[in-house]
Amino acid sequence: GGKDPEPATGRRRDPKGTRDRLVRAALELFTTQGYHVSTTPEIAAKAGVAEGTIYRHFASKEQLLNEVYRAGVRVFTTIVRDTPAGLPCAERLERIATGWREVAARNPHAARLVFVSRVRSLLDPRSRDAAKELRDEVEKLIASGKAAGLVRPGAVEVWADIWLQIIGLMLERVANKEWTPDQAAPRLAVERAWAAIAAASALSEPSPMSPPTPPPEHPAPSG
């Protein structure tokens, strides 16, 4: 037997579900047609609610943007923090970029909002703090690579900027479906991002993304 149909009032009794739908609708509209062009009636219509419902959950369109932005940043920051600390810098950065790439393929709107959209002037202090936390995590990792002699001498902030710029371009192309995660292009972008900041000695070692060298066909007998 099938499930009983959901009562017509089910949506009204689920404020979290309504809020989630508003967040998803706003995220999509803000990143496809832009924040300023997107109106609250459009957001409400896309979420399937009355416009007044928005203001029961959010004080303003700007607050809605900030909630959506912080939720997106948290996803990317969590991936950085969950990367095993014991790995070499290049491998940790590669795992982070791969995790971010998977998010961009699965949730392109979140990737666009965090890495592509020009919303900085609209961010409130909490959102700016969230963005700074994400950047600080990346800088901390690159600083540890520099301390280990794996990252070029120079300002860590500059190397973080360069790495994030290249990875951001890759995420934008994946989010726009110009590149698919299984193509070579995203992997090459990640390799180029590392090559741009790596010390010369680190580049002479095999990349964690390179296939291992095959063993010789007839290995010499041991002993």
Side-chain angles (χ1 to χ4, degrees):
K3 287 167 66 178
D4 290 331
E6 189 177 325
T9 55
R11 275 192 166 187
R12 280 187 199 156
R13 291 178 186 168
D14 180 17
K16 185 179 185 309
T18 301
R19 187 185 179 90
D20 288 348
R21 285 200 307 281
L22 285 167
V23 164
R24 284 197 301 272
L27 177 59
E28 183 175 338
L29 289 171
F30 291 162
T31 58
T32 51
Q33 60 186 35
Y35 170 80
H36 293 291
V37 177
S38 303
T39 64
T40 49
E42 280 181 302
I43 294 166
K46 192 159 194 64
V49 299
E51 185 186 359
T53 305
I54 292 178
Y55 299 103
R56 287 209 290 275
H57 294 273
F58 304 98
S60 63
K61 188 173 86 165
E62 198 162 301
Q63 193 207 348
L64 174 52
L65 168 74
N66 277 279
E67 295 256 354
V68 170
Y69 180 85
R70 284 195 293 274
V73 169
R74 275 196 298 272
V75 170
F76 292 100
T77 305
T78 299
I79 289 169
V80 180
R81 289 178 176 159
D82 286 352
T83 307
L87 296 173
C89 183
E91 193 168 342
R92 285 188 72 193
L93 287 171
E94 189 264 335
R95 287 198 186 194
I96 289 163
T98 300
W100 288 1
R101 186 187 72 208
E102 287 166 1
V103 173
R106 193 172 63 243
N107 190 347
H109 303 303
R112 281 197 207 103
L113 185 63
V114 174
F115 289 96
V116 182
S117 298
R118 304 283 180 259
V119 293
R120 179 158 286 279
S121 63
L122 300 164
L123 298 183
D124 64 21
R126 284 176 62 205
S127 294
R128 288 174 187 268
D129 286 348
K132 185 175 183 303
E133 269 179 47
L134 174 57
R135 189 189 166 91
D136 285 351
E137 290 289 337
V138 173
E139 283 191 12
K140 203 160 51 179
L141 171 50
I142 291 174
S144 73
K146 183 182 166 188
L150 300 171
V151 170
R152 295 170 189 244
V156 167
E157 297 85 357
V158 173
W159 305 138
D161 264 342
I162 290 170
W163 189 83
L164 285 166
Q165 286 281 345
I166 297 171
I167 297 303
L169 286 169
M170 179 269 286
L171 296 175
E172 181 177 5
R173 294 199 172 182
V174 171
N176 291 343
K177 306 284 190 279
E178 295 169 41
W179 290 352
T180 58
D182 55 348
Q183 283 179 317
R187 286 197 305 278
L188 285 171
V190 175
E191 288 184 358
R192 290 301 90 206
W194 170 245
I197 69 169
S201 58
L203 288 174
S204 62
E205 298 170 10
S207 156
M209 291 156 279
S210 303
T213 307
E217 279 189 35
H218 303 290
S222 57

